Amino acid sequence: MGPLTKRTQGRDLRAFWLLAPTMAVLAVVIAYPVLRAVYLSFQDDAGLNEETGRFESGGFAGFQHYLMWLTGDCGTGAGSCPDGNLGSDFWQAVGITFFFAVVTVAIEVVLGLWMATVMNRTFVGRSLLRASVLIPWAIPTAVTAKLWFFIFAENGIANKMFGTDIAWTTDPWTSRFAVIIADVWKTTPFMALLILAGLQLIPSDVYEAARVDGASKWKQFVHITLPLVKPALMVAVLFRTLDVLRMYDLPAILTSTSGASPTATVSILVVDEMRSGNFNSASALSTMVFLMIFAVAFIMVKFLGANVVRTQEEQRKGVR
């Protein structure tokens, strides 16, 4: 047992030294910025102290920045309240962010499932179709935003095609749906690709047995395709939800970069705050964004992950 224990410990120690450089790089690139942002979120911005009338470099502010974003109360002391960025802007940005997440992910699930079902069939030119479908996803987001900006311009293709005079990028609700259309066009292929990977794992014998039993196409889809593709579908939904919650470049380029814009997400609010020079309050807001995304990811993994594990267990039992 002695030599075996030493050899086991030696392997564990060698594995540690092999992983140490990577962990050190991750600590510098990821851990330090996160911890630094959290630290700055509790510091006051430098500015004029309203009580003393002097310019101060700031100090410990406690939860002042967090309360400012949640309630709109800026408090007193060095670092005045950022102009126009109060609690109302934060909750509006949160509502817009979740609105984009729910609507875009729901549409992408339907379209992605349909596209994956079509690409999973055997026909001439299937490889060409799969490659061409990925083109919108491969285009950089900034290029996509500019492309749709020209389409939704006042004299753009959309208004000329439908004979309308819609303010696609300035009207509050129209601009939101313009962002949704552009995002769905770009990221639906990614959703379809993940779902297609799940469809290809389904044995063809299952569908043949269903056809022999007289099951219609709809019953095959409901009772075979959906249950068996559920693990891949849940992973796709999780990835896309977390991606939309941190959306910045598409609405910022397509409509506006202002924090008061009707399409301003929380990430746009963070960048707008940094451009205003309020780095500490921006750090508090970015920390809240991190906690929001972490909470959504935890809830989805907790519930959707359990469903995926349960589905896989049921599949193994069915095979046995």
Side-chain angles (χ1 to χ4, degrees), residues 120 122 202-217 219-221 223-225 228:
N120 193 44
T122 302
I202 302 176
S204 58
D205 299 341
V206 179
Y207 291 101
E208 293 179 2
R211 285 193 294 268
V212 171
D213 292 338
S216 61
K217 291 290 185 180
K219 289 185 178 180
Q220 294 178 30
F221 176 77
H223 298 288
I224 297 177
T225 303
L228 296 182

Side-chain angles (χ1 to χ4, degrees), residues 12 24 79 91 110 112 125 132 140 154 245 251 255 279 310 317:
D12 293 342
W91 290 114
V110 177
S132 61
E154 183 179 357
L245 289 178
T255 56
F279 297 103
R310 190 179 304 112
K317 291 180 180 178

Side-chain angles (χ1 to χ4, degrees), residues 3-14:
L4 181 60
T5 303
K6 290 182 180 180
R7 287 198 299 270
T8 304
Q9 293 176 350
R11 284 200 301 270
D12 293 342
L13 188 60
R14 287 193 296 269

